[in-house]
């Protein structure tokens, strides 16, 4: 049985066993049965505990082996120490789906980790799939099937079904969010708490939810990345299916990472890398539960935007200013209205209002409520407007009437309308309810509204992007015999030449005899650099001499470099001295790097080069490979990007040439994914526009070299 098939059975079981059940419905082992009865589960229920003959009139069995019928899913509420025997019993009974509630596994240390591995090994041998351990269960909201003991299951009002699927490593966080979202009128299809993710993990559940026809928004709470490549694959499905993927990832700080490890035995990974991957693949990332609920709200409506051009309407000048202030940093354009639209709005609003965006209809709308709604209908018809934010403080009967009218207008258009309705529940609660029932996204503050609109714009714009083709790179797939150890600068530059990347002309001098033979025939000025896999920071070792103008200076530089390096690192292996042309064109120093991430594989990095890497830490990251459009996006993210565009009279630099090289190196890294530990091309000089680039230094550390102490 595949994981997808297993998840289908978990969510739609025809029969459920509860192993370790209790008649005390206030206990963890009693609540699963209580919840199934509360929500009138229609399948077979088989309580298992030798202490009881029956519970609530349902026969209770001494062992899972005594159950007379088939069991689709078994809920296991017993000690972790009994798990190996439970697996054996389930194997004999041909129970293939288990939910493990108990703790005492990898999250508690080495002994628990070993037990978890043994349980998983036995389960795989038996063809058993597991959700958990250390989880509170799952909920098929569509069919009202609660499998577990989450407090949210105990509602007597029933569940609000809808189009949001949610997978969470944390049970408390996941089902708390569910409860709050239900109060906001957000309907769900499924919720699964994966806990320690021994077998089935959060991405498996998200994959299932993306394919589910009743689920159009998929969200997740993560404490680690169980499978980096799978995350990328489901993000591609998200784009293809036009179903937003919203993620809240814990462990962004060092303290948070340690807490996540102890909580669910997760290795959280680099937050910087995770955010880069999310941006590259159109994943919506949020900072907390509130933000996730707000994102769910705007996406569950199902509308998309054509662009980022927004118009805001309010009965408060201050609110309009706040919306304008938030729009720019959030990447939203407060579009200038067409003359015709502006003139029509002026004819509707009081003369002391403002028809400019943000539109201020003033408090006169208290008397004439049509002012707000007539203005809204005008903007709906304007093709230059992609989305509308409607802000009001009106409550009571007037507020209800306005909200009802907004809901009616919203049903007639594909254009997103978001509402900020400020005020107490006593005054504005009925208006909020009207909007929620109509699926109109409504928020209590301006910032929450504008941030939610940003999520919608980002996803809509990402999905409009066409898949770009990669550059054709010569010899990209050629496997070299020497792809091991450390490639020093001279060898790296040979490789860059095969990729059609400009490097200075040079030669490695092995000894003084060779120096004597060639010194008169070289083109001066020159640069000399030590070549040694044991010396990565050549300048620190005295291994670099520049502006060498003649053969005499070359001989002196050669001798001084060897002397300095020998004193710096007496045991270093010296392969020679690289002598190459000194490029005198003025260029901006950039760098291109590759690093191997344990979760996502080869990453491509760029930023300002030279000493600025460590000082400014101004870098952009993507998973390799990146096409030209992505390479340009990476550069635009840099704080130093204006230097490339040209500032204070400086001419623009050859951004296109650098982006092309960045794309080529990323493809090289991707083709050698898993083989390159680190790669550093630094500096890369970027010359004036049209004059290209030159890679002046570089090193590659191949995977086979990881056991050696190397500093790049």
């Amino acid at each position: 049985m595949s994981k997808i098939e297993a998840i289908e059975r978990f969510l739609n079981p025809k029969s459920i066993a509860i192993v370790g059940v209790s008649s005390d419905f206030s206990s963890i082992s009693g609540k699963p049965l209580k919840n199934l009865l509360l929500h009138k589960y229609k399948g077979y229920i088989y309580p298992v505990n030798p202490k009881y003959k029956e519970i609530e009139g349902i026969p209770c069995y001494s062992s899972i082996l005594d159950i007379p019928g088939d069991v689709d899913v078994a809920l296991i509420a017993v000690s972790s120490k009994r798990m190996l025997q439970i697996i054996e019993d389930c194997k004999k009974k041909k129970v293939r789906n288990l939910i493990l509630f108990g703790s005492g596994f990898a999250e508690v240390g080495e002994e628990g980790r070993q037990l978890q591995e043994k349980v998983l090994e036995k389960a795989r041998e038996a063809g058993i799939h597991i959700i958990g351990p250390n989880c509170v269960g799952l909920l098929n909201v569509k069919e009202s099937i609660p499998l577990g003991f989450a407090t949210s299951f105990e509602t007597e009002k029933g569940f609000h079904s809808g189009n949001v699927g949610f997978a969470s490593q944390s049970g408390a966080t996941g089902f708390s969010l569910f409860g709050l979202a239900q109060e906001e009128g957000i309907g769900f299809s499924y919720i699964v708490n994966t806990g320690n993710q021994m077998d089935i993990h959060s991405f498996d559940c998200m994959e299932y939810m993306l394919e589910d026809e009743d689920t159009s928004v998929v969200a997740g709470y993560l404490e680690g990345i169980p499978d980096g490549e799978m995350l990328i694959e489901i993000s591609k499905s998200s784009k293809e299916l036009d179903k937003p993927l919203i993620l809240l990832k814990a462990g962004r700080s060092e303290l948070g990472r340690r807490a996540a490890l102890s909580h669910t035995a997760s290795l959280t990974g680099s937050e910087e890398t995770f955010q880069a991957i999310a941006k590259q693949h159109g994943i919506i990332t949020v900072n907390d539960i509130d933000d996730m609920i707000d994102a769910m709200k705007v996406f569950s409506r199902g509308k998309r935007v054509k662009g980022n051009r927004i118009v805001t309407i309010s009965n408060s000048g201050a609110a309009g200013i706040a919306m304008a202030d938030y729009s720019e940093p959030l990447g939203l354009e407060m579009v200038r209205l067409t003359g015709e639209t502006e003139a029509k709005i002026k004819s509707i609003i009081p003369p002391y209002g403002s028809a400019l965006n943000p539109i201020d209809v003033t408090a006169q709308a208290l008397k004439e409520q049509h002012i707000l709604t007539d203005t809204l209908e005008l903007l709906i018809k304007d093709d230059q407007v992609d989305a509308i934010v409607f802000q009001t403080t009106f409550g009571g009967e007037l507020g209800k009437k306005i909200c009802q009218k907004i809901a009616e207008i919203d049903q007639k258009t594909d254009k997103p309308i978001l509402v900020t309705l400020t005020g107490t529940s006593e005054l504005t609660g009925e208006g909020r309810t009207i909007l929620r029932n109509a699926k109109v996204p409504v928020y209590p503050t301006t910032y929450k509204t504008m941030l939610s609109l940003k999520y919608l714009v980002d996803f809509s714009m990402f999905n409009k992007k066409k898949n770009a083709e990669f550059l054709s790179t010569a010899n990209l797939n050629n496997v070299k015999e020497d792809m091991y150890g450390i490639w020093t600068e001279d060898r790296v530059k040979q490789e860059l030449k095969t990729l059609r990347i400009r490097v200075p002309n040079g030669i490695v001098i092995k000894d003084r005899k060779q120096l004597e033979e060639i010194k008169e025939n070289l083109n001066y000025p020159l640069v000399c650099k030590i070549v040694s896999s044991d010396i990565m920071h050549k300048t620190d070792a005295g291994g670099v001499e520049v502006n060498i103008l003649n053969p005499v200076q070359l001989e002196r530089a050669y001798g001084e470099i060897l002397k300095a390096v020998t004193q710096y690192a007496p045991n270093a292996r010296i392969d020679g001295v690289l002598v190459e042309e000194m490029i005198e064109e003025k260029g901006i120093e950039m760098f291109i790097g590759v690093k191997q991430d344990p979760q996502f594989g080869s990453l491509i990095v760029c930023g300002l080069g030279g000493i600025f890497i460590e000082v400014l830490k101004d870098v952009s990251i993507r998973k390799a490979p990146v096409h030209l459009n992505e390479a340009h996006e990476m550069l635009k993210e840099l704080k130093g990007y204006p230097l490339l565009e040209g500032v204070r009279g400086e001419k623009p630099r050859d951004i296109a040439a650098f982006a092309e090289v960045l794309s080529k190196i990323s493809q090289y890294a991707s083709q050698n994914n898993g083989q390159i530990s680190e790669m550093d091309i630094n500096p890369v000089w970027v010359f004036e526009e049209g004059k290209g680039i030159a890679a002046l230094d570089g090193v590659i550390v191949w995977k086979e070299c990881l056991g050696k102490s190397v500093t790049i």
Side-chain angles (χ1 to χ4, degrees), residues 64 137 200 280 580:
I64 200 167
I200 289 177
Q280 183 178 2
E580 62 182 18

Side-chain angles (χ1 to χ4, degrees), residues 352-417:
Y352 47 86
S354 174
L356 297 174
N357 188 16
I359 299 168
D360 180 7
V361 299
T362 76
Q364 184 65 23
L366 278 167
K367 290 185 177 181
E368 303 176 66
Q369 65 187 52
H370 71 88
I371 292 175
L372 277 168
T373 53
D374 288 354
T375 301
L376 176 59
E377 289 190 320
L378 266 177
L379 295 173
I380 290 295
K381 298 172 184 175
D382 192 330
D383 291 337
Q384 301 303 308
V385 177
D386 297 317
I388 301 165
V389 176
F390 193 105
Q391 195 277 344
T392 181
T393 58
F394 295 159
E397 286 301 314
L398 173 61
K400 283 170 58 180
K401 290 178 181 178
I402 290 174
C403 289
Q404 185 61 52
K405 185 64 175 177
I406 293 172
E408 292 170 4
I409 295 172
D410 177 79
Q411 301 302 314
K412 298 185 292 185
T413 178
D414 292 332
K415 192 171 291 186
I417 300 172

